[in-house]
Amino acid sequence: MNSQILLNISISLGLAFGIYGVVVQRGANLVRVDGKAVLMAAIWGVLELAAALAGYGGGSLLLRFEMARERDVFWIHVLAGFLFAAIGIRMLIRAFREKTFLEHRMENVDIREDVLLSLRLCVHGFFAGIACGLLELKLLPLLGIVFVVTAAFAVAGYISGRAWGPAPSGKACAIGGGILCLLGIVLQVLN
């Protein structure tokens, strides 16, 4: 398998597990899962895609400024690895922080509230996009994988949250954070 595709899948899975961890808490409040959950999952995917695209543009812009001088691949990998590790550490902190779960039943998905929640989490996608721009990953496969994986994990989060409650939330954030931290370390080792 192509190393860029594997890297794209790893990044997307790391980000998607973090989103799953949040969405499963929202799904635990649902009385029923309907078409609004699928629509909201698509919105999660589009917003994460837009954040990654904006970040990718920022990372590419940083490289253009660097083109005036000779590029130092070592420092580019260090910065990209640091960004992935920082996102992963933030997700790990969220996973192990004590949570309070408010029982607030909703008839179906509250699109307005979930869009606001999604916008707050797009920061992860933005910084991951910067790292991808620095690494000069191919843009279209990256965005396609980010959208598909994010939307699929969001749908799964609503459904599994409704079925099993918020229990998988911390584990999912820990898995996503672990993937991104490991990716950050691998980028340092491969220099």
Side-chain angles (χ1 to χ4, degrees), residues 19-31 33 99-105 155-172:
I19 289 170
Y20 174 86
V22 172
V23 174
V24 78
Q25 291 178 358
R26 297 292 293 167
N29 292 326
L30 291 176
V31 172
V33 177
K99 297 170 192 64
T100 58
F101 181 74
L102 301 174
E103 185 69 31
H104 173 72
R105 285 287 184 203
V155 166
Y158 285 120
I159 293 170
S160 63
R162 173 67 186 103
W164 301 307
S169 176
K171 292 175 188 143

Side-chain angles (χ1 to χ4, degrees), residues 169-187:
S169 176
K171 292 175 188 143
C173 285
I175 291 169
I179 289 171
L180 292 172
C181 283
L182 186 63
L183 189 58
I185 291 167
V186 166
L187 281 173

